[in-house]
Amino acid sequence: MNITEIIIAVAALCVIALVIAVVLSIAEKVFHVDVNEKEELVRAELPGSNCGGCGYAGCDSLAKAIADGKAPVTACPVGGQPVAKKIAEIMGQEVGEMKKMVAYVKCDGNSEKRQQDYNYVGIDSCVYAARMPGSSPYACKFGCLGYGSCAKVCPERAIRIIDRKAVVDEELCVACGRCLKICPHNLIELVPQDAKYRVQCSSLAKGKDVTSACTAGCIGCGICAKNCPSDAIVFENNIARIDYSKCTHCGLCESKCPRKIIKVYE
C-alpha cells in the first residue's frame, strides 16, 4: 500500500465520521426530550424499590407523576414521612403528619377454625392452590390458603406463615404492596397501623355457609354497624368493612360482634 492509498483511506474515514456526526446532531435535535428538573430531583429521593405500592409501575413513573402534579408528595409508602418531607421541599409544598400504613391479612381462619374439603398435594404456592377445584382445599373459598406466596415476595421478611395462615410483623412491614398483588384471594390490604379495630374475615358467603365452613367468619348480621355511633362500618357483599377515616375507636363493634371476628390491635 502506497502513501496515496493511505491518504485516501484516512480521508474516507474522516468523511464518514463527519457524516455520522451530522446525522447524530440532527437526530438529537429532532428527538430531544426536555427533562423535568423536578422529576430528576424527586426520583433521587425515592427509595428505588420499584414495588408498585404507590399504584404506579415503579419509582420512575411515580417521580414523573409527582413532578407533573398528578400524584401527591406522600405517594411513596416505603419512603414514608422522611421521603415525603424531602419531596415536598422540592415541590414547594408542605406535608402534614403521615400515618404509617401496614399490610393486614383479613382472615383469622387457621387450621383449627376452618373445615377442609380435600388435601392439596402440589406446589407449595397459594397461586397454584387457588387453581384447584373450588379455588381452595378448604370449605371457605375466600380465606387464607397458607402456602406463603405473600411471604416469599415480601422484601422485608415481614410475613410469616403460622398454623397455615399469613401473619404480618407490622414493625417490619414497609407497605410496599407486593403481598397485595400476589394474594389470589385478595385478602391483604393496607391499613393505618393505628387502626385499633379490624375485621378478620373476607368471606362473601351468606351466614349459614360461613358457619359451616369456619368458626371465625363474618355472618353479615349487621349488629356492629347498627351499634357504631359514627357510621364507620358498612356492609358490602355480606362482609363488614370499617371506614378508618370515621372510626373513633369506641370499641362498640368489637364488644357487640356475636362471632368475635372484630379484633383489637394494640
Side-chain angles (χ1 to χ4, degrees), residues 124-138:
D124 206 25
S125 163
C126 300
V127 176
Y128 282 92
R131 297 174 184 173
M132 296 297 103
S135 78
S136 173
Y138 299 104

Side-chain angles (χ1 to χ4, degrees), residues 36-43 45 62-74 83-95:
N36 187 328
E37 183 181 354
K38 285 187 176 180
E39 179 181 336
E40 290 188 331
L41 293 173
V42 169
R43 178 62 186 86
E45 297 299 338
L62 176 59
K64 186 177 188 314
I66 293 175
D68 292 342
K70 297 179 180 178
V73 296
T74 57
V83 168
K85 185 176 180 181
K86 292 178 181 178
I87 293 176
E89 291 176 357
I90 294 170
M91 297 300 296
Q93 300 177 18
E94 292 185 1
V95 59

Side-chain angles (χ1 to χ4, degrees), residues 157-198:
R157 298 187 178 183
I159 302 178
R160 294 177 296 160
I161 304 302
I162 301 176
D163 196 14
R164 279 298 178 194
K165 189 178 82 69
V167 177
V168 178
D169 184 331
E170 297 186 359
E171 293 305 314
L172 295 177
C173 179
V174 295
C176 69
R178 292 184 183 181
C179 56
L180 281 68
K181 296 176 182 178
I182 197 71
C183 178
H185 285 175
N186 299 312
L187 287 177
I188 309 175
E189 67 178 1
L190 295 181
V191 301
Q193 189 178 26
D194 64 357
K196 188 174 181 180
Y197 298 95
R198 306 180 193 177

Side-chain angles (χ1 to χ4, degrees), residues 103-259:
Y104 171 60
V105 182
K106 299 177 291 181
C107 177
D108 194 34
N110 57 31
S111 59
E112 294 181 357
K113 297 177 181 178
R114 57 190 172 189
Q115 300 298 316
Q116 192 161 348
D117 280 347
Y118 58 86
N119 290 323
Y120 166 72
V121 179
I123 298 174
D124 206 25
S125 163
C126 300
V127 176
Y128 282 92
R131 297 174 184 173
M132 296 297 103
S135 78
S136 173
Y138 299 104
C140 176
K141 306 307 177 184
F142 304 95
C144 180
L145 291 161
Y147 293 103
S149 291
C150 54
K152 292 169 186 174
V153 300
C154 178
E156 305 299 324
R157 298 187 178 183
I159 302 178
R160 294 177 296 160
I161 304 302
I162 301 176
D163 196 14
R164 279 298 178 194
K165 189 178 82 69
V167 177
V168 178
D169 184 331
E170 297 186 359
E171 293 305 314
L172 295 177
C173 179
V174 295
C176 69
R178 292 184 183 181
C179 56
L180 281 68
K181 296 176 182 178
I182 197 71
C183 178
H185 285 175
N186 299 312
L187 287 177
I188 309 175
E189 67 178 1
L190 295 181
V191 301
Q193 189 178 26
D194 64 357
K196 188 174 181 180
Y197 298 95
R198 306 180 193 177
V199 179
Q200 289 194 311
C201 182
S202 294
S203 176
L204 305 182
K206 293 184 179 180
K208 183 179 179 180
D209 294 329
V210 172
T211 55
S212 63
C214 181
T215 61
C218 174
I219 57 175
C221 64
I223 291 177
C224 56
K226 293 172 184 175
N227 284 275
C228 180
S230 56
D231 295 324
I233 301 180
V234 295
F235 274 88
E236 296 175 345
N237 300 317
N238 302 316
I239 189 72
R241 180 178 63 82
I242 299 175
D243 183 344
Y244 293 111
S245 66
K246 296 180 180 179
C247 181
T248 60
H249 304 108
C250 68
L252 281 174
C253 57
E254 186 266 339
S255 62
K256 296 292 184 180
C257 176
R259 299 278 288 177

